[in-house]
Amino acid sequence: MEQQDLHLTDPPQLLERRVRKPQPPLSVLGSRIREEAACSVPRARSTLLGFFPVISWLPKYKLREYVWGDLMSGMIVGIILVPQAIAYCLLAGVQPIYGLYTSFFANIIYFFMGTSRHVSVGIFSLMSLMVGQVVDREMFQAGFDLSDSPDPGSFNRTGVASNISAATVEVMGVAYSKECYAIAIAAALTLLAGIYQVMMAVFRLGFVSVYLSAPMLDGFATGASLTILTVQAKYLLGLKIPRYQGFGTVVVTWINIFANIQNTNLCDLVTSTICIFVLVAGKEIQDRYKSRLKFPLPTELVVVAGATLASHFGNLNGLYDSSVSGHIPTGFIPPKVPSLELMSRVALDAIPLAVISFAFTVSLSEMFAKKNGYTVRPNQEMLAIGCCNIIPSFFHCFTTSAALAKTMVKDSTGCQTQVSSLVSALVVLLVLLFFAPYFYSLQKCVLACIIIVSLRGALRKFHDVPAKWRLSRADAVVWLVAMAATALISVEIGLLVGVVFSMVCVIFVTQNPKVSLLGRSEDSELYEDLDEYENLAAPAGVRVFRFQAPLYYANKDSFLRTLYETVGVDPFLEMTRRRKADKKAAKRLAKEDPENHKNGELREGLVWRELEFHTIVLDCSAIPFIDSAGMGAFAGLVKDYGELGVAVLLAGCNTPVIDALRRGAFFGEKDRDMGLRLFYTVHAAVLSANSRAEAEGRTAGDSQI
């Protein structure tokens, strides 16, 4: 291949950059404000369509094509939703009626505001758990008895007997009973979470979700599932102990369960065993024959109906003291503004709720949109889920989000649009208006069984740990840390630990990136890692070094250290060695020729050091950005190696890196050395280095001070 010599007097031509005139920040801000504040009929129509997507897609609804799938999926999800809505109230620490309210209002609001066709929004076990922890904490601080026992002498937060209990509590002059105070806390928490989500949507803060990596969310969900399982275990055994308040809920709760195991209610234990067997069998049949079944088996509804009938006609509550759901009223309670005083007490607790609710909703929306070939608007999804929390909070509801299991059911049963959510809401409405009282005798252990069996998917993630480890050890460690912190400390701390640890892992990777010494493929311009590929040869007299990470303050020392180790020469140590050798040589010559030494005729530079290279080429193609510390490292390399007679050239820099170097005057005044130090390819840099060495009469191995 013909090679063109590049001489010092004829540097390679650099591409001409486009001239961009940056606008003043105030001018940009002013134009954005004018654009957003502009009022016109088309803009008002666009805003209305954006805020309520239903106006856009409902007139185009294909009745004959869509209606059957929407009706089927809506009815099936509604049937599944009713027992789960009642069951998840155990987690949230509120009465069952409020779970039905939450499911009804969330589905109605998302129908109008959601951009996803398949997502099912409503109660979610993780949200219910987080709400329940806040509710129980505030109830305990208010002095309420947290046990299920009617006896006021019960357990305190550590499981020790306590006679302190309160029948009512007064907030801003309003007296609350235990049940009313619980839903008041949940409603205040939900309103704040919704406000945070709407604010995030208004200020375009959806990018926050990028810090919630998939392994972290999976680990967090699995750890929360262990907590949910632990919290519900007492209902399986019929133990009347309060939920532990504080860190280490899983450990302390199991200690309390085994400490009170002798008080197990045999009726609840037998009922739980039968229900779990039926539910698991139904799920396994569903999983095995899902390709043949046209719709999911309503196992939860069958179990709830059968258990309710057995409990009612067998009088299990009266004969065996089995805990039951109690009276569930029909109709709706008048709306009420959540308490401002309670909002001030739960303001911080609402932040993780808002972030997790939004993250799950957006991720599920995007996942099913990609699967079915359409797009969603994440910012509108955040606004929609915020309104699904704000508006229902006035109707005694608690925090909602998208739920994976019900969304998968909708997708597998032919759902086409959010009309299915409207159908599900109508199913819940029928229960609210007519059938709710019939659940009076439903045992709480049955509800706990429904919750626990619904965790099968999350708990099965433990089987995926070996595969995660083989795929990416960093992801596996993030999963394990998030899971362990969530399960062993608390849900909120687990979320924080997971986010921080996953970010630390990213920083660690950038601090210790892969570095390579490159060689050239025979008769080509391709340069690759000498350690990874065969049939490569290092260019004579040139060391080509690749650093595969951003170069910034946290890894500049790692960059310098690995460069010195890779090329085999630390310029500071080499200069120190040469100075010492020069001094020794000077002393030796002074003894041999004292007359010249006295006359000052002894010249410096008596020691020759043969290096194997005369140029270092830094392949910057894998460096996405550089900060001032990185620029300082580059400048230091040029200076230090220059004293050894070794040139440092850059190749493959992207435009942000070039711009940063120009701002830092790396190429000298008015970029005068830019053509001498910067090259678009490694090969061009190597050719230029060898041409310069030939022009200076040097070869590989000759380097002198």
Side-chain angles (χ1 to χ4, degrees):
M1 182 176 61
E2 183 179 354
Q3 297 182 355
Q4 180 181 0
D5 290 339
L6 300 174
H7 300 283
L8 285 170
T9 58
D10 187 21
Q13 294 295 319
L14 296 175
L15 295 175
E16 186 176 353
R17 292 286 298 276
R18 293 180 182 273
V19 179
R20 302 181 185 276
K21 295 182 179 180
Q23 296 181 350
L26 291 179
S27 175
V28 175
L29 180 61
S31 62
R32 290 292 299 272
I33 292 175
R34 286 192 298 272
E35 181 182 346
E36 295 293 333
C39 185
S40 63
V41 174
R43 181 170 181 79
R45 182 175 180 275
S46 175
T47 302
L48 185 64
L49 291 176
F51 197 73
F52 295 106
V54 66
I55 301 175
S56 176
W57 62 261
L58 190 59
K60 303 175 185 177
Y61 189 80
K62 300 176 182 179
L63 188 63
R64 293 184 179 180
E65 186 177 345
Y66 293 164
V67 69
W68 178 247
D70 285 340
L71 282 175
M72 283 296 297
S73 64
M75 290 180 63
I76 292 170
V77 170
I79 291 170
I80 296 173
L81 195 57
V82 170
Q84 287 191 356
I86 297 173
Y88 287 162
C89 289
L90 286 179
L91 285 173
V94 296
Q95 293 297 304
I97 188 66
Y98 302 120
L100 296 173
Y101 289 162
T102 302
S103 300
F104 173 75
F105 285 108
N107 277 282
I108 292 290
I109 295 169
Y110 193 81
F111 166 77
F112 287 102
M113 302 188 66
T115 60
S116 173
R117 303 175 191 172
H118 296 84
V119 159
S120 176
V121 173
I123 54 172
F124 182 39
S125 58
L126 180 55
M127 296 294 103
S128 301
L129 172 67
M130 297 175 73
V131 170
Q133 289 182 331
V134 178
V135 168
D136 281 0
R137 185 196 68 205
E138 295 298 322
M139 296 274 285
F140 173 79
Q141 292 177 356
F144 284 110
D145 176 20
L146 297 185
S147 73
D148 296 316
S149 174
D151 182 9
S154 187
F155 298 87
N156 62 14
R157 63 183 294 179
T158 59
V160 181
S162 172
N163 290 319
I164 301 176
S165 182
T168 61
V169 65
E170 187 171 314
V171 178
M172 296 184 68
V174 179
Y176 288 93
S177 65
K178 179 179 178 180
E179 292 76 12
C180 291
Y181 192 62
I183 191 57
I185 296 167
L189 184 66
T190 300
L191 176 59
L192 277 176
I195 290 174
Y196 292 156
Q197 288 168 335
V198 170
M199 290 175 63
M200 290 169 68
V202 170
F203 292 104
R204 313 285 181 178
L205 298 180
F207 67 88
V208 173
S209 64
V210 304
Y211 297 106
L212 306 177
S213 65
M216 191 281 296
L217 282 177
D218 280 347
F220 173 71
T222 304
S225 298
L226 290 175
T227 305
I228 294 170
L229 172 64
T230 301
V231 169
Q232 296 303 301
K234 66 176 183 179
Y235 294 107
L236 302 183
L237 303 175
L239 297 177
K240 295 178 172 60
I241 57 177
R243 184 185 297 183
Y244 174 75
Q245 298 299 306
F247 298 143
T249 297
V250 171
V251 176
V252 176
T253 300
W254 281 111
I255 292 174
N256 287 340
I257 287 174
F258 284 109
N260 294 273
I261 197 72
Q262 70 278 4
N263 299 323
T264 298
N265 188 306
L266 293 179
C267 176
D268 284 346
L269 179 59
V270 172
T271 303
S272 300
T273 303
I274 296 172
C275 289
I276 289 178
F277 176 80
V278 174
L279 288 168
V280 171
K283 297 293 184 183
E284 291 297 328
I285 293 173
Q286 174 68 40
D287 292 342
R288 181 168 297 183
Y289 300 104
K290 61 182 177 182
S291 60
R292 301 181 185 179
L293 297 174
K294 294 184 178 180
F295 54 85
L297 299 176
T299 315
E300 291 91 346
L301 187 63
V302 171
V303 167
V304 166
T308 302
L309 291 174
S311 176
H312 175 72
F313 290 105
N315 191 21
L316 301 183
N317 177 247
L319 295 177
Y320 303 103
D321 193 27
S322 179
S323 297
V324 295
S325 299
H327 176 64
I328 303 178
T330 57
F332 291 90
I333 301 174
K336 184 179 180 181
V337 178
S339 170
L340 294 177
E341 182 174 330
L342 291 177
M343 288 171 63
S344 64
R345 300 180 62 168
V346 298
L348 292 179
D349 300 293
I351 296 175
L353 270 171
V355 174
I356 292 297
S357 171
F358 139 72
F360 274 102
T361 301
V362 172
S363 60
L364 282 180
S365 299
E366 292 180 338
M367 180 172 67
F368 282 90
K370 186 181 297 183
K371 177 182 177 182
N372 292 278
Y374 62 94
T375 59
V376 294
R377 290 184 284 131
N379 216 59
Q380 177 63 23
E381 286 295 301
M382 186 156 47
L383 190 63
I385 198 64
C387 291
C388 284
N389 286 319
I390 290 176
I391 299 173
S393 68
F394 292 86
F395 294 89
H396 316 283
C397 301
F398 53 91
T399 313
T400 60
S401 77
L404 175 60
K406 291 186 282 293
T407 301
M408 293 180 66
V409 169
K410 288 181 70 172
D411 182 56
S412 63
T413 51
C415 172
Q416 298 293 332
T417 68
Q418 280 299 325
V419 169
S420 60
S421 293
L422 202 60
V423 176
S424 299
L426 292 177
V427 173
V428 176
L429 181 62
L430 288 175
V431 175
L432 277 169
L433 295 179
F434 303 107
F435 301 111
Y438 294 104
F439 294 103
Y440 177 91
S441 299
L442 179 60
Q443 294 165 272
K444 290 185 177 180
C445 64
V446 177
L447 300 177
C449 291
I450 293 174
I451 294 173
I452 290 173
V453 173
S454 71
L455 302 175
R456 288 166 67 247
L459 295 177
R460 281 178 173 174
K461 296 288 186 180
F462 283 102
H463 293 293
D464 300 335
V465 174
K468 286 180 183 291
W469 182 263
R470 290 191 296 270
L471 182 64
S472 172
R473 293 187 178 184
D475 286 350
V477 172
V478 168
W479 187 93
L480 289 170
V481 169
M483 182 275 300
T486 304
L488 300 179
I489 305 176
S490 73
V491 175
E492 294 81 3
I493 297 298
L495 175 62
L496 180 62
V497 169
V499 172
V500 172
F501 186 77
S502 59
M503 294 177 68
V504 168
C505 286
V506 173
I507 295 172
F508 178 78
V509 170
T510 62
Q511 282 186 302
N512 299 274
K514 180 175 176 58
V515 297
S516 308
L517 195 63
L518 306 187
R520 180 187 174 190
S521 178
E522 197 172 322
D523 295 330
S524 74
E525 297 182 3
L526 176 65
Y527 289 76
E528 264 303 340
D529 191 343
L530 286 166
D531 293 333
E532 299 291 341
Y533 294 93
E534 300 286 349
N535 302 319
L536 297 179
V542 180
R543 293 291 180 267
V544 183
F545 178 79
R546 177 186 290 166
F547 186 77
Q548 302 182 40
L551 184 55
Y552 65 114
Y553 68 93
N555 66 0
K556 69 176 182 63
D557 293 332
S558 173
F559 167 76
L560 294 173
R561 184 184 68 254
T562 54
L563 173 62
Y564 299 157
E565 293 174 355
T566 304
V567 302
V569 176
D570 183 328
F572 177 77
L573 296 180
E574 180 65 19
M575 286 299 300
T576 303
R577 191 199 67 79
R578 291 186 178 189
R579 291 191 183 102
K580 290 181 179 179
D582 273 351
K583 289 181 180 179
K584 291 181 180 179
K587 290 180 180 179
R588 186 178 67 253
L589 291 177
K591 291 180 180 179
E592 295 174 357
D593 192 0
E595 293 298 327
N596 289 336
H597 177 68
K598 289 181 181 180
N599 297 330
E601 296 178 2
L602 183 66
R603 55 188 180 85
E604 295 182 358
L606 298 175
V607 177
W608 289 77
R609 162 69 170 171
E610 291 191 355
L611 298 180
E612 296 179 354
F613 56 91
H614 52 71
T615 304
I616 296 175
V617 176
L618 301 179
D619 179 8
C620 302
S621 59
I623 300 179
F625 69 86
I626 186 172
D627 69 354
S628 58
M631 285 187 283
F634 274 1
L637 286 177
V638 172
K639 176 179 178 296
D640 294 341
Y641 277 109
E643 293 178 354
L644 298 177
V646 176
V648 177
L649 308 180
L650 307 183
C653 297
N654 59 36
T655 51
V657 171
I658 294 173
D659 292 341
L661 293 173
R662 294 179 68 181
R663 288 193 298 269
F666 175 78
F667 301 112
E669 186 178 354
K670 296 183 179 181
D671 300 328
R672 65 174 181 271
D673 297 332
M674 191 170 179
L676 302 177
R677 293 184 184 173
L678 181 65
F679 299 85
Y680 291 111
T681 65
V682 171
H683 189 61
V686 172
L687 291 178
S688 177
N690 287 328
S691 298
R692 294 177 191 183
E694 291 175 7
E696 295 172 0
R698 295 166 54 193
T699 61
D702 292 337
S703 181
Q704 176 187 5
I705 299 181

